Amino acid sequence: MPVVRASEAVSHEIHGARFVSYATPRSGSKELCAWRGEIPAGLKAPAHTVSREEIFHLLDGELLITLDGRTDRITAGDTVIVNAGATLTVENPTDRTAYSWVTTSVGLEARLADGTRIAPPWAN
């Protein structure tokens, strides 16, 4: 049974947020990826369209999530289901860091509005 210790998790930063990956193919997962997101106060990440379904669970804090043009305020304990092909924007309008847990399938890619493709290392 692979056990990923907190000390073994790999951190990546992109667009001002930190992603701490736990379950990836490099850590032994064959089908799923999971990471903790750290979204700093005041951050508004760029809109991106995802290639795979994501389950986005807010552990702590408060965020504005815009999904396909509809904005909802979510708080700790809320979960957002982001279907493949959906466009997502995450914004932290508060004065403290928000923490999320995201699960998706291996191979997730995101496409920014300008067409830039991102294959995040924490999901591959």
Side-chain angles (χ1 to χ4, degrees), residues 59-120:
L59 298 168
D60 186 41
E62 186 175 314
L63 295 171
L64 294 176
I65 301 288
T66 302
L67 189 59
D68 289 335
R70 177 183 166 181
T71 302
D72 282 291
R73 182 175 298 273
I74 65 169
T75 58
D78 292 343
T79 299
V80 179
I81 299 169
V82 182
N83 292 311
T87 300
L88 171 72
T89 303
V90 177
E91 180 178 0
N92 182 349
T94 73
D95 60 359
R96 65 186 186 103
T97 298
Y99 296 90
S100 65
W101 185 261
V102 178
T103 304
T104 190
S105 54
V106 170
L108 171 81
E109 292 184 351
R111 188 168 301 275
L112 300 178
D114 68 2
T116 302
R117 192 182 115 246
I118 300 171

Coordinates of all heavy atoms in Angstrom, one line a residue, residues 59-120:
L59 N -11.6 23.2 2.1 CA -11.3 22.8 3.4 C -11.4 24.0 4.4 O -11.9 23.8 5.5 CB -9.9 22.3 3.5 CG -9.6 21.1 2.6 CD1 -8.1 20.8 2.5 CD2 -10.3 19.8 3.2
D60 N -10.9 25.1 4.0 CA -10.9 26.3 4.9 C -10.9 27.6 4.1 O -10.3 27.7 3.1 CB -9.6 26.2 5.8 CG -9.6 27.3 6.9 OD1 -10.7 27.5 7.5 OD2 -8.5 27.9 7.1
G61 N -11.7 28.5 4.6 CA -11.8 29.8 3.9 C -13.0 30.0 3.2 O -14.1 29.4 3.4
E62 N -13.0 31.0 2.2 CA -14.1 31.4 1.4 C -13.6 31.8 0.1 O -12.6 32.4 -0.1 CB -14.8 32.6 2.1 CG -16.0 33.0 1.6 CD -16.7 34.1 2.4 OE1 -16.7 34.0 3.6 OE2 -17.1 35.1 1.8
L63 N -14.3 31.4 -1.0 CA -13.9 31.7 -2.3 C -15.1 32.1 -3.2 O -16.3 31.7 -2.9 CB -13.3 30.5 -3.0 CG -11.9 30.0 -2.4 CD1 -11.6 28.6 -3.1 CD2 -10.8 31.0 -2.6
L64 N -14.8 32.8 -4.3 CA -15.8 33.0 -5.3 C -15.4 32.0 -6.5 O -14.3 32.1 -7.0 CB -15.8 34.4 -5.8 CG -16.3 35.5 -4.8 CD1 -16.1 36.9 -5.4 CD2 -17.7 35.2 -4.4
I65 N -16.3 31.2 -6.8 CA -16.1 30.2 -7.9 C -17.0 30.6 -9.1 O -18.3 30.7 -8.9 CB -16.4 28.8 -7.5 CG1 -15.5 28.4 -6.3 CG2 -16.2 27.8 -8.7 CD1 -14.1 28.1 -6.6
T66 N -16.5 30.8 -10.2 CA -17.3 31.1 -11.4 C -17.1 29.9 -12.3 O -16.0 29.5 -12.7 CB -16.8 32.4 -12.1 OG1 -16.9 33.5 -11.2 CG2 -17.7 32.6 -13.3
L67 N -18.2 29.2 -12.6 CA -18.3 28.0 -13.4 C -19.2 28.3 -14.5 O -20.4 28.5 -14.3 CB -18.7 26.9 -12.5 CG -18.7 25.5 -13.1 CD1 -17.2 25.1 -13.4 CD2 -19.2 24.5 -12.1
D68 N -18.6 28.3 -15.7 CA -19.4 28.5 -17.0 C -20.3 29.8 -16.8 O -21.5 29.8 -17.2 CB -20.3 27.3 -17.3 CG -19.4 26.2 -17.8 OD1 -18.3 26.4 -18.3 OD2 -19.9 25.0 -17.7
G69 N -19.7 30.8 -16.3 CA -20.4 32.1 -16.2 C -21.2 32.4 -15.0 O -21.7 33.5 -14.7
R70 N -21.5 31.4 -14.1 CA -22.2 31.5 -12.9 C -21.3 31.6 -11.7 O -20.5 30.7 -11.5 CB -23.2 30.3 -12.8 CG -24.0 30.4 -11.5 CD -24.9 29.3 -11.2 NE -25.3 29.3 -9.9 CZ -26.1 28.4 -9.3 NH1 -26.5 27.4 -10.1 NH2 -26.4 28.5 -8.1
T71 N -21.4 32.6 -10.9 CA -20.6 32.8 -9.7 C -21.3 32.4 -8.5 O -22.4 32.9 -8.3 CB -20.1 34.3 -9.7 OG1 -19.4 34.6 -10.9 CG2 -19.2 34.5 -8.5
D72 N -20.6 31.6 -7.6 CA -21.2 31.3 -6.3 C -20.1 31.5 -5.3 O -18.9 31.3 -5.5 CB -21.5 29.8 -6.3 CG -22.9 29.5 -7.0 OD1 -23.9 29.9 -6.4 OD2 -22.8 28.8 -8.0
R73 N -20.5 32.0 -4.1 CA -19.6 32.1 -3.0 C -19.7 30.7 -2.3 O -20.7 30.3 -1.9 CB -20.1 33.2 -2.0 CG -19.2 33.4 -0.8 CD -19.6 34.6 0.0 NE -19.5 35.9 -0.8 CZ -18.4 36.6 -0.9 NH1 -17.3 36.3 -0.3 NH2 -18.4 37.7 -1.6
I74 N -18.5 30.1 -2.1 CA -18.4 28.9 -1.3 C -17.6 29.1 0.0 O -16.8 29.9 0.0 CB -17.9 27.7 -2.2 CG1 -16.4 27.9 -2.5 CG2 -18.7 27.5 -3.4 CD1 -15.7 26.7 -3.1
T75 N -18.0 28.3 1.0 CA -17.3 28.4 2.3 C -16.8 27.0 2.7 O -17.2 26.0 2.0 CB -18.3 28.9 3.3 OG1 -19.4 28.1 3.4 CG2 -18.7 30.4 3.0
A76 N -16.0 26.9 3.7 CA -15.5 25.6 4.2 C -16.5 24.6 4.3 O -17.6 24.8 4.8 CB -14.8 25.9 5.5
G77 N -16.2 23.4 3.7 CA -17.2 22.3 3.7 C -17.9 22.1 2.4 O -18.5 21.1 2.2
D78 N -18.0 23.2 1.6 CA -18.7 23.1 0.3 C -17.8 22.4 -0.8 O -16.6 22.5 -0.7 CB -19.0 24.5 -0.2 CG -20.0 25.2 0.6 OD1 -20.7 24.6 1.4 OD2 -20.1 26.5 0.4
T79 N -18.5 21.7 -1.7 CA -17.9 21.0 -2.8 C -18.5 21.4 -4.1 O -19.7 21.6 -4.2 CB -18.1 19.5 -2.6 OG1 -17.5 19.0 -1.4 CG2 -17.5 18.7 -3.7
V80 N -17.6 21.7 -5.1 CA -18.0 22.1 -6.4 C -17.6 20.9 -7.3 O -16.5 20.5 -7.4 CB -17.3 23.4 -6.8 CG1 -17.7 23.8 -8.2 CG2 -17.6 24.5 -5.8
I81 N -18.6 20.5 -8.1 CA -18.3 19.5 -9.2 C -18.1 20.2 -10.5 O -19.0 20.9 -11.0 CB -19.4 18.5 -9.3 CG1 -19.6 17.7 -7.9 CG2 -19.2 17.5 -10.4 CD1 -20.8 16.9 -7.8
V82 N -16.9 20.1 -11.0 CA -16.5 20.8 -12.2 C -16.4 19.7 -13.3 O -15.5 18.9 -13.4 CB -15.1 21.5 -12.1 CG1 -14.8 22.3 -13.4 CG2 -15.1 22.4 -10.9
N83 N -17.4 19.8 -14.2 CA -17.4 18.8 -15.3 C -16.4 19.0 -16.4 O -16.0 20.2 -16.6 CB -18.8 18.8 -16.0 CG -19.9 18.2 -15.0 OD1 -19.7 17.2 -14.4 ND2 -21.0 18.9 -14.9
A84 N -15.9 18.0 -17.0 CA -15.0 18.2 -18.2 C -15.6 19.1 -19.2 O -16.8 19.1 -19.5 CB -14.7 16.8 -18.8
G85 N -14.8 20.0 -19.7 CA -15.2 21.0 -20.6 C -15.7 22.3 -20.0 O -16.0 23.3 -20.7
A86 N -15.9 22.3 -18.7 CA -16.3 23.5 -18.0 C -15.2 24.6 -17.9 O -14.0 24.2 -17.8 CB -16.9 23.2 -16.6
T87 N -15.6 25.8 -17.8 CA -14.7 26.9 -17.6 C -14.8 27.4 -16.2 O -15.9 27.7 -15.7 CB -14.9 28.1 -18.6 OG1 -14.7 27.5 -19.9 CG2 -13.9 29.2 -18.4
L88 N -13.7 27.5 -15.5 CA -13.6 27.7 -14.1 C -12.7 28.9 -13.8 O -11.6 29.1 -14.3 CB -13.1 26.5 -13.4 CG -12.7 26.6 -11.9 CD1 -14.0 26.6 -11.1 CD2 -11.9 25.3 -11.5
T89 N -13.2 29.8 -12.9 CA -12.4 30.9 -12.3 C -12.5 30.8 -10.8 O -13.6 30.6 -10.3 CB -12.8 32.3 -12.8 OG1 -12.8 32.3 -14.2 CG2 -11.9 33.3 -12.3
V90 N -11.3 30.9 -10.1 CA -11.3 30.8 -8.7 C -10.8 32.2 -8.2 O -9.7 32.7 -8.6 CB -10.4 29.7 -8.2 CG1 -10.3 29.7 -6.7 CG2 -10.9 28.4 -8.7
E91 N -11.5 32.8 -7.2 CA -11.1 34.1 -6.7 C -11.2 34.0 -5.1 O -12.2 33.6 -4.6 CB -12.0 35.2 -7.2 CG -11.6 36.6 -6.7 CD -12.5 37.7 -7.3 OE1 -13.3 37.4 -8.1 OE2 -12.3 38.8 -6.9
N92 N -10.2 34.6 -4.5 CA -10.3 34.7 -3.0 C -10.4 36.1 -2.7 O -9.4 36.9 -2.6 CB -9.0 34.1 -2.4 CG -9.0 34.1 -0.9 OD1 -9.9 34.8 -0.3 ND2 -8.1 33.5 -0.2
P93 N -11.6 36.6 -2.4 CA -11.8 38.0 -2.1 C -11.6 38.4 -0.6 O -11.8 39.5 -0.2 CB -13.3 38.2 -2.4 CG -13.9 36.9 -2.0 CD -12.9 35.9 -2.4
T94 N -11.1 37.4 0.2 CA -10.9 37.7 1.6 C -9.5 38.1 1.9 O -8.6 38.2 1.0 CB -11.3 36.4 2.4 OG1 -10.2 35.4 2.2 CG2 -12.6 35.8 2.0
D95 N -9.2 38.3 3.2 CA -7.9 38.7 3.6 C -7.1 37.5 4.2 O -6.1 37.8 4.9 CB -8.0 39.9 4.6 CG -8.7 39.5 5.9 OD1 -9.2 38.4 6.0 OD2 -8.8 40.4 6.7
R96 N -7.5 36.3 3.9 CA -6.7 35.1 4.4 C -6.7 34.0 3.4 O -7.6 33.9 2.5 CB -7.2 34.6 5.8 CG -8.6 34.1 5.7 CD -9.0 33.7 7.2 NE -10.3 33.1 7.2 CZ -10.5 31.8 7.3 NH1 -9.4 31.0 7.6 NH2 -11.6 31.2 7.3
T97 N -5.7 33.2 3.4 CA -5.5 32.1 2.5 C -6.6 31.1 2.7 O -7.1 30.8 3.8 CB -4.1 31.4 2.7 OG1 -3.1 32.4 2.5 CG2 -3.9 30.2 1.8
A98 N -7.1 30.6 1.5 CA -8.1 29.5 1.5 C -7.4 28.2 1.1 O -6.5 28.2 0.3 CB -9.3 29.8 0.5
Y99 N -7.9 27.1 1.6 CA -7.3 25.8 1.4 C -8.4 24.9 0.8 O -9.5 24.8 1.3 CB -6.8 25.2 2.7 CG -5.7 26.0 3.2 CD1 -5.9 27.0 4.1 CD2 -4.3 25.8 2.9 CE1 -4.9 27.8 4.6 CE2 -3.3 26.6 3.4 CZ -3.6 27.6 4.3 OH -2.6 28.3 4.8
S100 N -8.0 24.2 -0.3 CA -9.0 23.3 -1.0 C -8.3 21.9 -1.1 O -7.1 21.8 -1.0 CB -9.4 23.9 -2.4 OG -8.2 23.9 -3.2
W101 N -9.2 21.0 -1.4 CA -8.7 19.6 -1.8 C -9.4 19.3 -3.1 O -10.6 19.4 -3.3 CB -9.1 18.6 -0.8 CG -8.6 17.2 -1.0 CD1 -9.2 16.2 -1.6 CD2 -7.3 16.8 -0.8 NE1 -8.4 15.1 -1.7 CE2 -7.2 15.4 -1.2 CE3 -6.2 17.4 -0.2 CZ2 -6.0 14.7 -1.1 CZ3 -5.0 16.6 0.0 CH2 -4.9 15.3 -0.5
V102 N -8.6 18.9 -4.1 CA -9.1 18.6 -5.5 C -8.7 17.2 -5.8 O -7.6 16.8 -5.6 CB -8.5 19.6 -6.5 CG1 -9.0 19.3 -7.9 CG2 -8.8 21.1 -6.1
T103 N -9.7 16.5 -6.4 CA -9.4 15.2 -7.0 C -9.9 15.2 -8.4 O -10.9 15.8 -8.8 CB -10.3 14.1 -6.2 OG1 -9.9 14.2 -4.8 CG2 -10.0 12.7 -6.7
T104 N -9.1 14.6 -9.3 CA -9.4 14.4 -10.7 C -8.8 13.2 -11.2 O -8.1 12.4 -10.5 CB -8.9 15.7 -11.5 OG1 -9.4 15.6 -12.8 CG2 -7.4 15.8 -11.5
S105 N -8.9 12.9 -12.5 CA -8.2 11.8 -13.1 C -6.9 12.2 -13.7 O -6.7 13.3 -14.0 CB -9.1 11.1 -14.1 OG -9.6 12.0 -15.1
V106 N -6.0 11.2 -13.8 CA -4.7 11.4 -14.4 C -4.9 12.0 -15.8 O -5.8 11.5 -16.5 CB -3.9 10.1 -14.4 CG1 -2.6 10.2 -15.2 CG2 -3.6 9.7 -13.0
G107 N -4.1 12.9 -16.2 CA -4.1 13.5 -17.5 C -4.8 14.8 -17.7 O -5.0 15.3 -18.8
L108 N -5.3 15.4 -16.5 CA -6.0 16.6 -16.6 C -5.2 17.7 -17.3 O -3.9 17.8 -17.1 CB -6.3 17.2 -15.2 CG -6.8 18.6 -15.1 CD1 -8.3 18.6 -15.4 CD2 -6.5 19.2 -13.8
E109 N -5.8 18.4 -18.2 CA -5.2 19.6 -18.8 C -6.1 20.8 -18.7 O -7.3 20.6 -18.5 CB -4.9 19.4 -20.3 CG -3.8 18.3 -20.5 CD -3.5 18.2 -22.0 OE1 -4.2 18.7 -22.9 OE2 -2.5 17.5 -22.3
A110 N -5.6 22.0 -18.7 CA -6.4 23.2 -18.7 C -6.0 24.1 -19.9 O -4.9 24.1 -20.3 CB -6.2 23.9 -17.4
R111 N -7.0 24.8 -20.4 CA -6.7 25.7 -21.5 C -7.2 27.1 -21.0 O -8.3 27.3 -20.6 CB -7.5 25.3 -22.7 CG -7.1 26.1 -24.0 CD -7.6 25.5 -25.2 NE -7.1 24.1 -25.5 CZ -6.0 23.8 -26.1 NH1 -5.1 24.7 -26.4 NH2 -5.7 22.5 -26.3
L112 N -6.3 28.1 -21.1 CA -6.6 29.4 -20.8 C -7.4 30.1 -21.9 O -7.4 29.6 -23.0 CB -5.3 30.2 -20.5 CG -4.4 29.7 -19.3 CD1 -3.2 30.5 -19.2 CD2 -5.2 29.7 -18.0
A113 N -8.0 31.3 -21.6 CA -8.8 32.0 -22.6 C -8.0 32.3 -23.9 O -8.5 32.3 -25.0 CB -9.3 33.2 -22.0
D114 N -6.6 32.5 -23.8 CA -5.8 32.8 -24.9 C -5.4 31.6 -25.7 O -4.6 31.7 -26.7 CB -4.6 33.7 -24.5 CG -3.6 32.9 -23.7 OD1 -3.8 31.7 -23.4 OD2 -2.6 33.5 -23.3
G115 N -5.8 30.4 -25.3 CA -5.5 29.2 -26.0 C -4.3 28.4 -25.4 O -4.0 27.3 -25.8
T116 N -3.6 29.1 -24.4 CA -2.5 28.4 -23.8 C -2.9 27.1 -23.1 O -3.9 27.2 -22.3 CB -1.8 29.3 -22.8 OG1 -1.4 30.5 -23.5 CG2 -0.6 28.7 -22.1
R117 N -2.2 26.0 -23.4 CA -2.5 24.8 -22.8 C -1.6 24.5 -21.6 O -0.4 24.7 -21.7 CB -2.4 23.6 -23.8 CG -2.9 22.3 -23.3 CD -2.7 21.2 -24.3 NE -1.8 20.3 -23.7 CZ -0.5 20.0 -24.0 NH1 0.0 20.6 -25.0 NH2 0.2 19.2 -23.4
I118 N -2.2 24.1 -20.5 CA -1.4 23.8 -19.3 C -1.6 22.4 -18.9 O -2.8 21.9 -18.7 CB -1.8 24.7 -18.1 CG1 -1.5 26.2 -18.4 CG2 -1.0 24.3 -16.8 CD1 -2.1 27.2 -17.4
A119 N -0.6 21.6 -18.8 CA -0.7 20.2 -18.3 C 0.0 20.2 -16.9 O 1.2 20.0 -16.8 CB 0.0 19.2 -19.3
P120 N -0.7 20.5 -15.9 CA -0.1 20.6 -14.6 C 0.6 19.4 -14.1 O 0.1 18.3 -14.2 CB -1.3 21.0 -13.6 CG -2.5 20.7 -14.4 CD -2.2 20.6 -15.8

